[in-house]
Amino acid sequence: MRITKKSFRFENETYYYWISGKRTSPPLLMIPGLTGTHGNLLEISYPLRKDNYLIMPDLPGWGLSPRPQEALTIEYYARFFQALRNYLELDKLNIFSHCMGTAVAIEFARMNPESVKRLIMVSTPYEEGSWGYSILKLLSKWGEKVPRPLRPLFYIWRNKYINFVTGFYILKFRSLRKKMRMLIDIFKEQSKLDNQSFVESWLSLLDFNYLKLNKINVSFPIHLIFGAQDVLIPKSQVIKLRKHIFHTTTLDFISEAGHLPPIETPGILASLVTKYLKSDT
């Protein structure tokens, strides 16, 4: 089944998204993670196209979508999806999201609770209270106060050479060849990324309150999915997050996956997503 590139206007800019599946099928909005594009979702999208109408964007500031004049924040991304939903004249949405995209999905649901049928959140970066979160937030706040040329020093952990090395530890692929190919692609892409877009998105993500979910009046099911080998989100944080969510929730761990199930184990993840899309709870 084909995937088709589309565009729409939002706040005087042209943004790009891709669709697949029948327009009459239930809509599934797919939100990628930080620096995300529709390309990060292609592998998992293949088995989902038959029974769903997929909408996969390049987020503002990434891929083919331009960087807006306004700062890139979680709230801005949510307004972007609100505009896309209105443009496509969609009613109830199933929403699949990964990493930073889960924060965007929560914010979208807070703004449009009546439009959400269910949330499927993969690798939610809930780090509130952890030592790693505290260190990253402190470094990021310090980085805001120094001249722009010095800011990369406070984000040295995302240097493309360091990322290439740490990627061997973070990425969970059974095939070394596939891991190397992914690391090389990331290395090439990172040199093209806009640093200011990253910093704005990252700072907004660090400040995001995931428990906004509990302030949404309309009840809808939430499905949490994590890689059991995720070295970025400790299992203790996963358990804490689920405990704090008042909505009906399920929790699954994919034993073979790390932080990137959409590309590490797309088949297994697609099976879980399909199961929940076909369920009533």
Side-chain angles (χ1 to χ4, degrees):
M1 192 171 291
R2 291 183 59 191
I3 180 170
T4 305
K5 177 183 173 185
K6 298 283 187 178
S7 66
F8 83 112
R9 297 282 293 177
F10 172 56
E11 296 186 352
N12 300 317
E13 295 283 1
T14 299
Y15 293 97
Y16 294 92
Y17 65 98
W18 284 254
I19 59 170
S20 188
K22 296 179 181 178
R23 186 65 169 81
T24 53
S25 296
L28 176 60
L29 178 62
M30 303 186 73
I31 306 178
L34 183 62
T35 76
T37 71
H38 77 287
N40 304 134
L41 304 171
L42 286 181
E43 284 198 68
I44 185 180
S45 76
Y46 294 125
L48 299 175
R49 297 177 188 182
K50 180 180 177 182
D51 298 317
N52 302 279
Y53 179 60
L54 306 185
I55 306 105
M56 299 173 284
D58 278 359
L59 291 176
W62 311 108
L64 296 183
S65 288
R67 172 181 164 79
Q69 294 296 317
E70 188 174 336
L72 288 173
T73 63
I74 301 300
E75 191 273 340
Y76 182 87
Y77 288 128
R79 286 194 284 112
F80 166 81
F81 282 107
Q82 186 179 45
L84 180 58
R85 188 280 311 267
N86 292 340
Y87 174 77
L88 293 173
E89 299 180 335
L90 299 174
D91 188 16
K92 287 280 189 178
L93 287 168
N94 290 306
I95 301 179
F96 170 95
S97 55
H98 174 248
C99 192
M100 184 191 77
T102 64
V104 178
I106 292 170
E107 186 67 17
F108 175 89
R110 186 192 66 78
M111 293 165 57
N112 310 274
E114 72 290 340
S115 299
V116 178
K117 187 174 182 180
R118 74 182 67 245
L119 293 181
I120 300 174
M121 307 199 303
V122 182
S123 303
T124 305
Y126 177 72
E127 292 277 18
E128 186 71 42
S130 69
W131 64 267
Y133 168 83
S134 300
I135 291 174
L136 287 173
K137 191 164 187 177
L138 183 62
L139 287 173
S140 298
K141 294 300 181 184
W142 284 349
E144 285 186 277
K145 302 180 185 301
V146 301
R148 184 165 293 184
L150 297 178
R151 287 180 187 174
L153 295 175
F154 293 85
Y155 295 91
I156 193 68
W157 49 269
R158 70 176 295 267
N159 176 278
K160 62 182 180 181
Y161 299 102
I162 294 175
N163 270 350
F164 188 85
V165 175
T166 58
F168 279 96
Y169 181 57
I170 294 172
L171 290 173
K172 304 299 178 182
F173 287 111
R174 290 183 178 179
S175 166
L176 178 60
R177 179 178 295 180
K178 191 170 184 179
K179 180 183 287 192
M180 282 297 298
R181 187 165 61 245
M182 185 67 189
L183 286 170
I184 291 171
D185 288 343
I186 291 173
F187 185 87
K188 291 178 179 177
E189 284 299 315
Q190 194 157 351
S191 61
K192 304 175 186 176
L193 296 181
D194 178 68
N195 192 60
Q196 185 61 23
S197 295
F198 174 85
V199 169
E200 291 171 357
S201 301
W202 177 249
L203 290 173
S204 183
L205 180 62
L206 285 177
D207 287 333
F208 187 75
N209 178 12
Y210 294 88
L211 300 187
K212 286 182 178 183
L213 278 169
N214 294 330
K215 297 181 180 180
I216 300 174
N217 292 326
V218 177
S219 180
F220 44 76
I222 296 171
H223 307 292
L224 302 174
I225 303 173
F226 288 83
Q229 301 182 55
D230 192 336
V231 298
L232 301 179
I233 313 297
K235 191 173 183 179
S236 59
Q237 292 295 126
V238 176
I239 302 302
K240 186 194 298 186
L241 174 63
R242 188 187 186 189
K243 181 180 178 181
H244 288 334
I245 296 176
F246 297 158
H247 286 247
T248 301
T249 62
T250 63
L251 173 59
D252 293 277
F253 287 98
I254 300 177
S255 60
E256 300 92 339
H259 189 66
L260 301 170
I263 62 172
E264 293 166 337
T265 55
I268 297 173
L269 180 57
S271 296
L272 283 171
V273 171
T274 298
K275 178 179 74 171
Y276 290 123
L277 290 176
K278 292 183 176 180
S279 70
D280 294 325
T281 57

